[in-house]
Amino acid sequence: MTSPKPKTTQTMKPETAAKKLGVLLSATPAEFRAGVVSRDEFNELQAKPPAWLSDLRRNGPHPRQVIAAKLRISISGLLRGGITEPLTTAEIDALKAENPEWLEHERSVQAENRKEALRLKQR
């Protein structure tokens, strides 16, 4: 009989952890970017976010997927609208208040896509 292998700790790259946490990697502290993140560390970050993580989630700069979600459009819609750089929460709020024509159009496109997906799901 062979002895059971010791459990290895699951780890992820900082890029993966930042994406799963919904933050921009370049805005995270150097010590976060420097090494790997274990599953336990990741779970701890989610359960009890440190001040830097809470601040990033609240104020940004935000990655594309978060910007798109806050604007209720797709990531492709962001690109069509000319948004290629990370935005802060204040910049996103200003964009919402301005409500340019492209944003209105992308929201309607996204709404139609959601309706169609729901219709297909109900078949």
Side-chain angles (χ1 to χ4, degrees):
M1 263 172 106
T2 60
S3 61
K5 291 182 183 178
K7 265 198 161 182
T8 57
T9 305
Q10 285 184 326
T11 59
M12 62 183 88
K13 295 178 183 177
E15 297 88 2
T16 304
K19 187 173 183 176
K20 288 181 178 219
L21 291 169
V23 296
L24 194 64
L25 179 64
S26 61
T28 60
E31 59 270 9
F32 180 83
R33 293 187 303 255
V36 296
V37 179
S38 72
R39 177 61 68 182
D40 292 337
E41 291 169 334
F42 179 77
N43 290 339
E44 183 70 19
L45 286 170
Q46 284 186 310
K48 297 176 191 162
W52 64 264
L53 181 55
S54 297
D55 186 51
L56 276 178
R57 286 178 168 169
R58 187 178 327 105
N59 302 320
H62 300 290
R64 285 184 296 195
Q65 70 266 21
V66 174
I67 297 169
K70 286 179 179 269
L71 293 175
R72 299 188 330 262
I73 62 175
S74 67
I75 292 174
S76 298
L78 276 180
L79 295 174
R80 286 190 293 269
I83 306 295
T84 57
E85 298 295 318
L87 298 178
T88 63
T89 300
E91 292 169 325
I92 293 169
D93 290 342
L95 195 55
K96 284 180 182 177
E98 184 184 322
N99 199 22
E101 188 177 315
W102 70 265
L103 181 58
E104 219 172 284
H105 172 72
E106 290 300 333
R107 281 182 173 164
S108 67
V109 167
Q110 188 72 358
E112 286 299 316
N113 288 342
R114 286 186 185 126
K115 282 181 192 174
E116 181 64 13
L118 182 61
R119 185 186 71 79
L120 291 174
K121 187 178 178 182
Q122 290 176 344
R123 287 178 107 186

